[in-house]
Amino acid sequence: ERIHGANPTLAGLPLPGLIGLIGTPRRDDWHSRRGRLSADARGAMHRSPAARWRAIALLAAIVGAGASAYLLVEYVTGQPGLSLTGTGCDLVRASDFAYPLGIPLPLIGLVFYLAAAWLVLRTVGSPMSAGVPATTALAVAAAVGATASMLLTGIELFVIGAFCSWCLVQAAASLVLLGAALALARSDDAADAEARSSRARQQVARALDADRARHRVGRQVVEQDDMLAALHAQLADACHLRALRIDGD
């Protein structure tokens, strides 16, 4: 009874409490590290220059649509409007190139720039448009529009012999739109590459954290085994000494 009622200690600590302390595993923080890595990846994507190029492309599309709309009003009403090149706009409007297939040329430009603005907005929430990346579709459309604008500017220079100031404005807008669309496509590709690289880094970090966690658990098991062996040895010594004292009494 004395033996069972004894409360053995090790280094001044009660053995039951010490065993419970040994058996309590330490917290693993690799989940929080993974969360921090994900937040860093999202922050890197938000700091991409794509937003700047998207804003420039949208502004160019708005300017081009505004110039085309102003010219369309002149074509529909037949009244001369504001022109920085004298009678250049009137001469261009009176030429055979102003109504391809009977359609007022500014109407085609207006539809083009509105479609370009829609594609720019599609690059924000919907990366795909008709099965094609929105940035690619925007770059192709901008290239077609810039080519048509340069062709019409060449016709004004070499065939008509007069420039329309609003046509020059929309031609400049088409070039800016093309440059921004190409830059946006490149930045989108760079963002995709960075996202893939970030995912790969996260996978490597998770694997390393899991490996370190396994090593920590292994060390804890070894330490617990050593301490339990020491406890068993001390218990055996205590029991032996108690038995000797009882025999001596």
Side-chain angles (χ1 to χ4, degrees):
E1 292 178 359
R2 292 181 182 179
I3 295 177
H4 290 291
N7 188 13
T9 61
L10 178 64
L13 294 175
L15 286 179
L18 186 59
I19 293 174
L21 182 63
I22 296 173
T24 303
R26 287 179 292 184
R27 260 180 131 166
D28 190 14
D29 60 348
W30 75 276
H31 290 289
S32 61
R33 293 182 185 177
R34 180 179 62 181
R36 287 196 299 270
L37 286 173
S38 300
D40 292 341
R42 289 193 297 268
M45 293 181 67
H46 287 293
R47 291 190 295 269
S48 171
R52 181 174 66 251
W53 293 117
R54 188 178 293 113
I56 294 174
L58 183 60
L59 180 60
I62 293 174
V63 171
S68 298
Y70 183 83
L71 284 175
L72 182 60
V73 172
E74 289 188 2
Y75 275 55
V76 172
T77 61
Q79 298 295 325
L82 177 63
S83 177
L84 300 179
T85 56
T87 59
C89 290
D90 296 334
L91 293 175
V92 172
R93 186 171 66 248
S95 68
D96 296 334
F97 301 97
Y99 293 89
L101 301 177
I103 302 174
L105 196 57
L107 178 60
I108 299 175
L110 180 60
V111 172
F112 164 74
Y113 284 112
L114 291 178
W118 177 76
L119 286 175
V120 172
L121 296 177
R122 289 279 292 180
T123 62
V124 179
S126 303
M128 301 296 291
S129 180
V132 179
T135 52
T136 301
L138 176 63
V140 172
V144 172
T147 301
S149 295
M150 293 302 101
L151 178 62
L152 294 174
T153 303
I155 292 175
E156 291 179 357
L157 175 62
F158 297 107
V159 179
I160 302 175
F163 287 107
C164 174
S165 57
W166 295 104
C167 294
L168 296 177
V169 169
Q170 72 81 26
S174 69
L175 292 178
V176 174
L177 176 63
L178 176 59
L182 293 176
L184 180 60
R186 287 196 299 269
S187 63
D188 186 63
D189 293 338
D192 290 341
E194 177 62 25
R196 289 192 296 268
S197 177
S198 178
R199 287 193 295 268
R201 289 195 299 269
Q202 292 180 38
Q203 292 174 357
V204 171
R206 286 195 294 267
L208 290 176
D209 287 338
D211 186 64
R212 281 193 289 266
R214 286 193 296 268
H215 282 295
R216 284 197 298 268
V217 171
R219 286 196 301 270
Q220 291 177 9
V221 171
V222 172
E223 292 173 359
Q224 291 176 8
D225 291 341
D226 293 341
M227 296 192 70
L228 287 176
L231 290 175
H232 290 158
Q234 185 170 5
L235 282 174
D237 292 341
C239 292
H240 180 67
L241 290 175
R242 178 73 63 167
L244 291 177
R245 291 177 184 175
I246 293 174
D247 292 342
D249 294 340

